[in-house]
Amino acid sequence: MREKAEKMLIELYNFTIRGNKSSAQIDRENVQQWAEDNRTIDFLVEKRLIEKKAATGFVIIKLTAHGIEFVEDELL
């Protein structure tokens, strides 16, 4: 789980911070992939590294200030 979570944080950081976006959207099309991604997302929400907003057919995730600091200090 940790490796997947770290990869997701780095991808989200690169997409939002370096890409000048406010958030990222994850589609729920592939049920198996969605189940795995959702477990990782929920783990990161519990750690307060990201925020999650659910919508029909997709989820929007956003790094928190703590998440940005964690990526910059621990993962980059």
Side-chain angles (χ1 to χ4, degrees):
M1 169 74 78
R2 182 179 176 101
E3 185 177 315
K4 176 111 173 111
E6 289 177 355
K7 181 180 177 192
M8 185 176 282
L9 285 172
I10 290 169
E11 288 176 359
L12 183 58
Y13 180 88
N14 287 335
F15 182 77
T16 58
I17 304 303
R18 292 186 175 162
N20 201 26
K21 311 276 187 205
S22 62
S23 60
Q25 176 179 315
I26 298 186
D27 296 325
R28 299 181 188 178
E29 292 174 358
N30 181 324
V31 175
Q32 184 176 356
Q33 183 65 44
W34 165 247
E36 186 178 324
D37 287 346
N38 197 44
R39 283 191 298 273
T40 304
I41 291 167
D42 288 343
F43 172 77
L44 294 172
V45 168
E46 279 184 31
K47 297 291 185 183
R48 297 187 176 157
L49 297 172
I50 67 170
E51 296 174 350
K52 168 183 158 181
K53 294 182 182 175
T56 304
F58 62 93
V59 165
I60 297 171
I61 57 174
K62 178 181 178 180
L63 282 169
T64 63
H66 178 64
I68 293 169
E69 289 175 1
F70 178 79
V71 171
E72 291 176 343
D73 294 344
E74 303 293 329
L75 301 179
L76 297 181

